[in-house]
Amino acid sequence: MENLQAKIEAILFIATKPLNVKQLCRAVDGEEKDVRDTVAALVAVKNIETSGTHIVQNNDDIQMVTNPACAKLVEEYLAVELDPELTKPSVEALTIIAYRGPITKPEIEAIRGVNCSLIVRNLLLRGLIVEHDDGVKMQSVYTLSTDALRFFGVHGAEELPDYGELHTNAKIEQLLAALSATPTV
């Protein structure tokens, strides 16, 4: 795929948070000037009344968002979509994040044994978890949000029942150590 605009649009579409130009350059293997020019072209195409998505630029951060004119529709849709109780897999992932966070998505998947992309995205949309960049792990890590802590009635995750035992569980430590020792392709 040689179309830089399509690559940037795809990355912005799946990103759960704003990306800076350097992150976009790495993601699409592009030069900074080309990426900036392509983002400007995307802004011209997307930020119009008839587009459902817009591109927001805040200093060097870029994010794809819904058209502000559709805010009420999106809010109503999300209220219906997110209103049901959490599914068992979502509760499992949230529990892992609560007791093991900050934790990466691959670590969550190693503990659960299945892909968790949609679950993590749903928990982010619900505001139950927060995504942070981790310089040591060189990827995003997830923790409980303030809203989740308030919902659980605790001031911090360490107040959860059996937190000390589960946060440092030896079997989970071995599993995660094996994951970090596995070479990536």
Side-chain angles (χ1 to χ4, degrees):
M1 172 193 256
E2 292 301 317
N3 186 342
L4 186 60
Q5 183 168 325
K7 288 180 179 180
I8 291 172
E9 190 173 356
I11 295 299
L12 290 174
F13 179 77
I14 60 133
T16 57
K17 62 183 180 177
L19 300 175
N20 64 43
V21 172
K22 290 182 190 225
Q23 290 171 312
L24 268 176
C25 288
R26 281 193 306 272
V28 300
D29 195 29
E31 297 296 321
E32 186 172 335
K33 181 188 181 324
D34 295 335
V35 168
R36 286 185 186 279
D37 290 346
T38 304
V39 167
L42 263 173
V43 166
V45 170
K46 289 291 187 181
N47 292 8
I48 60 174
E49 184 180 331
T50 57
S51 176
T53 57
H54 283 200
I55 306 294
V56 171
Q57 290 181 280
N58 183 18
N59 298 316
D60 210 31
D61 290 337
I62 303 157
Q63 186 172 24
M64 182 177 283
V65 299
T66 56
N67 181 336
C70 299
K72 184 167 176 47
L73 173 70
V74 171
E75 182 181 322
E76 289 170 357
Y77 175 77
L78 287 176
V80 169
E81 283 296 301
L82 299 180
D83 200 26
E85 292 183 23
L86 290 175
T87 64
K88 183 178 177 188
S90 292
V91 170
E92 289 173 0
L94 185 61
T95 302
I96 291 167
I97 293 166
Y99 282 93
R100 298 298 302 191
I103 188 168
T104 66
K105 189 169 72 61
E107 290 171 333
I108 298 167
E109 292 171 344
I111 293 169
R112 287 202 64 240
V114 296
N115 184 306
C116 296
S117 296
L118 292 175
I119 291 170
V120 168
R121 186 170 177 87
N122 186 11
L123 292 172
L124 283 166
L125 284 171
R126 287 177 180 247
L128 295 173
I129 61 173
V130 180
E131 181 178 27
H132 306 279
D133 286 330
D134 186 296
V136 176
K137 295 182 179 182
M138 300 302 291
Q139 57 186 308
S140 295
V141 293
Y142 302 93
T143 58
L144 284 181
S145 70
T146 306
D147 287 343
L149 292 172
R150 188 171 45 242
F151 174 78
F152 291 134
V154 296
H155 298 97
E158 63 280 351
E159 292 182 14
L160 293 169
D162 300 321
Y163 178 82
E165 178 185 331
L166 294 171
H167 186 69
T168 57
N169 183 279
K171 287 183 180 181
I172 295 175
E173 292 294 332
Q174 289 173 345
L175 177 68
L176 296 180
L179 174 67
S180 64
T182 305
T184 57
V185 180

